[in-house]
Amino acid sequence: MAVDPLIELRDVNKYYGELHVLQDINLTVGKGEVVVVIGPSGSGKSTLCRAINRLETIESGTIQLDGQPLPEEGKALAKLRAEVGMVFQSFNLFAHKTVLQNVSLAQVKVRKRKREDADKRSLELLDRVGLASQAPKYPAQLSGGQQQRVAIARALAMEPKALLFDEPTSALDPEMINEVLEVMRQLAHDGMTMVVVTHEMGFARSAANRVVFMADGRIVEDRTPEEFFTNPRTDRAKDFLSKILKH
Amino acid sequence: MNVLTDNFSTFGDGFLGTVELTLYASVLALVLGFLMASFRVAPVGSLRVFGTAWVTVLRNTPLTLLFFAVLLGLPRFGLVLPFKVFAILALGCYTSAFICEALRSGINTVPRGQGEAARSLGMSFGQSLGLVVLPQAFRSVIPPVGSTLIALAKNSAIAGAFSVTELLGTYRTLSELGYNIVWTFVWIAVGYLIITLAISALFNVLERKWGVAR
């Protein structure tokens, strides 16, 4: 186990009306750890990911980030969200802003950096994800894979302590998936703390420290990728793996 | 035909009165409508309730009744202002309910993920609304807001019944002077057309400049 916990969930429960989507979730993510969350659709893995920066509220339990409990609303919550980057399935780049403005906006408005400094840093980050030449374009002019890499650069621009990925490659054409996964692998390699909800088993195997398998709102298994993929303990996980690894 | 040339200053005063009412009431309606739309999408429950109540009351009250309430009601509570100011208040508040709903429908056309992305970057509610959601909502609300302001210009005629100088009211003076009522109304109609077509033109320009690119 990691010595230094960054994200800690204790007995977290969430309901959508009657539906108990998160059931007694306990999860600790250490600094620099890469945790991949997998599971069938409707298992609550996206909800779990979104609960960590309170895009979803929870009914009971506690979520702590770097030792601080998640604030309810207002300034304190905004401050904390700035420390946790999020990458969405549908990219969610600001449609009315250029690529460069997308990456710079929150640096200027939230981090209070000077426009020039923010743009300079944005260009460095865009270069890192291989998109510096696209800076003056609008998101709609970019391919899905490019948009998602811009979204990662935008999250990195805040210098977050951790990054959350909510199915970052699920809306992409197969040939664009790799360019995004490559950027994520590089981040994992550089020691970024990451929680990744994904269906990419290859990424889970190669980049994750731990695999968390969820089904029906519960964490069913929480182990190293090697152990999980070669020797899953539960029938639920065996069943899931047999379905997705067949082809 | 000589109704216009003989009474140019009467028409002019009325015309300017209507322009003034429209202009000030429009500004008031846009500011209040913007505020109420923000309230209606705010994360604070009491603000949402206030915004909803504002819209429900003002949108469902006949404008003439609202004029009576403001012009005759408020002085009873010790608030005495020139009738013109009262008229601007009544028109502006009434129209703000419609502006609010047009803005809100625009906000709802912006995908949810845009606001979520803004919040996940640490922006406050005000920042995500002002920097991300509203600029995108703005593009799709230009046509309905234009229509609402044109309706406001025409609704300002009601103020004439409360002895505020405005365009439609000029017919009373002129018919007392014995001018042909039909021609009087034709010129009044032309006056309204000038104002409403000007608003249309303004919003066409805005739409060309800011409208949703397809």
Side-chain angles (χ1 to χ4, degrees):
Chain A
M1 272 315 277
V3 271
D4 209 358
L6 185 63
I7 303 171
E8 276 187 286
L9 289 85
R10 289 283 159 268
D11 305 317
V12 169
N13 281 285
K14 177 176 179 65
Y15 299 82
Y16 284 128
E18 288 287 287
L19 193 65
H20 199 168
V21 279
L22 294 180
Q23 306 186 22
D24 299 319
I25 299 289
N26 284 289
L27 179 69
T28 307
V29 180
K31 282 204 176 91
E33 233 186 343
V34 177
V35 173
V36 167
V37 184
I38 60 174
S41 13
S43 59
K45 51 194 194 308
S46 275
T47 311
L48 172 71
C49 186
R50 290 162 57 85
I52 295 174
N53 70 353
R54 216 169 191 281
L55 286 178
E56 301 284 351
T57 54
I58 55 171
E59 264 72 43
S60 68
T62 56
I63 299 178
Q64 291 204 340
L65 276 158
D66 216 1
Q68 304 267 329
L70 216 55
E72 293 247 311
E73 271 299 333
K75 286 226 157 51
L77 178 63
K79 199 162 169 236
L80 192 131
R81 277 175 174 154
E83 305 294 329
V84 183
M86 176 121 191
V87 176
F88 299 86
Q89 180 176 355
S90 48
F91 329 132
N92 294 345
L93 292 180
F94 305 137
H96 63 307
K97 301 261 180 205
T98 64
V99 165
L100 182 67
Q101 288 168 337
N102 260 279
V103 185
S104 292
L105 185 67
Q107 294 185 64
V108 174
K109 299 295 176 183
V110 179
R111 288 278 188 248
K112 310 290 179 199
R113 289 183 190 140
K114 283 207 201 79
R115 166 76 55 197
E116 307 88 78
D117 298 346
D119 283 350
K120 188 162 163 282
R121 179 166 168 75
S122 300
L123 283 170
E124 284 168 14
L125 286 164
L126 286 170
D127 191 43
R128 193 164 148 194
V129 297
L131 290 170
S133 61
Q134 312 289 329
K137 290 192 180 168
Y138 282 88
Q141 295 169 286
L142 269 52
S143 73
Q146 291 173 324
Q147 289 191 47
Q148 195 60 299
R149 284 185 282 153
V150 173
I152 293 172
R154 179 174 71 176
L156 287 175
M158 302 300 287
E159 287 159 3
K161 291 177 183 159
L163 279 181
L164 309 172
F165 292 83
D166 185 8
E167 303 203 21
T169 57
S170 296
L172 296 176
D173 290 343
E175 54 188 308
M176 292 172 185
I177 290 177
N178 264 327
E179 63 187 55
V180 172
L181 290 182
E182 203 37 62
V183 170
M184 290 167 60
R185 264 192 206 104
Q186 193 57 48
L187 284 174
H189 180 78
D190 295 346
M192 174 60 76
T193 309
M194 292 160 63
V195 176
V196 185
V197 174
T198 188
H199 295 291
E200 294 299 324
M201 298 304 146
F203 176 80
R205 260 180 202 272
S206 65
N209 300 110
R210 275 157 60 205
V211 169
V212 169
F213 176 71
M214 285 186 76
D216 306 320
R218 291 179 187 280
I219 291 180
V220 181
E221 298 207 25
D222 180 352
R223 305 162 67 196
T224 66
E226 188 56 33
E227 286 175 335
F228 177 75
F229 286 110
T230 51
N231 186 24
R233 263 187 221 133
T234 56
D235 290 342
R236 194 73 186 81
K238 275 178 199 156
D239 181 49
F240 178 74
L241 287 174
S242 74
K243 275 179 190 147
I244 55 159
L245 294 179
K246 224 176 250 169
H247 47 90
Chain B
M1 190 61 198
N2 56 358
V3 192
L4 181 67
T5 43
D6 290 356
N7 302 287
F8 202 78
S9 71
T10 310
F11 273 116
D13 287 347
F15 182 78
L16 288 178
T18 295
V19 168
E20 228 178 325
L21 282 175
T22 306
L23 203 66
Y24 291 135
S26 293
V27 171
L28 182 65
L30 288 171
V31 170
L32 280 176
F34 178 86
L35 194 68
M36 291 305 147
S38 313
F39 280 9
R40 291 204 68 178
V41 297
V44 184
S46 53
L47 291 182
R48 283 200 301 273
V49 170
F50 184 83
T52 310
W54 180 270
V55 168
T56 309
V57 170
L58 288 166
R59 194 172 56 171
N60 296 314
T61 309
L63 182 54
T64 316
L65 188 65
L66 192 65
F67 264 91
F68 274 116
V70 170
L71 274 82
L72 305 177
L74 289 183
R76 296 206 168 188
F77 295 98
L79 188 63
V80 184
L81 292 167
F83 269 23
K84 184 178 244 166
V85 178
F86 275 140
I88 289 167
L89 275 179
L91 270 173
C93 290
Y94 176 78
T95 312
S96 76
F98 295 88
I99 299 276
C100 166
E101 291 302 90
L103 284 175
R104 202 165 62 90
S105 74
I107 289 171
N108 289 338
T109 64
V110 179
R112 219 184 164 76
Q114 295 282 315
E116 286 183 351
R119 279 184 287 143
S120 77
L121 286 165
M123 290 188 205
S124 63
F125 170 76
Q127 283 177 325
S128 76
L129 196 65
L131 296 168
V132 174
V133 178
L134 281 174
Q136 295 185 62
F138 178 62
R139 302 159 176 222
S140 56
V141 302
I142 295 170
V145 167
S147 302
T148 309
L149 293 187
I150 286 172
L152 164 69
K154 295 183 291 178
N155 286 339
S156 71
I158 295 179
F162 297 89
S163 58
V164 176
T165 311
E166 55 76 52
L167 191 53
L168 182 65
T170 54
Y171 89 91
R172 254 176 272 128
T173 323
L174 297 179
S175 72
E176 274 166 28
L177 292 172
Y179 285 99
N180 182 328
I181 196 79
V182 175
W183 278 107
T184 309
F185 279 133
V186 167
W187 288 115
I188 286 173
V190 169
Y192 277 108
L193 269 179
I194 292 170
I195 294 169
T196 52
L197 290 180
I199 297 174
S200 294
L202 173 69
F203 277 81
N204 277 335
V205 171
L206 287 177
E207 203 180 337
R208 222 169 306 144
K209 193 151 187 274
W210 299 105
V212 183
R214 292 192 202 284

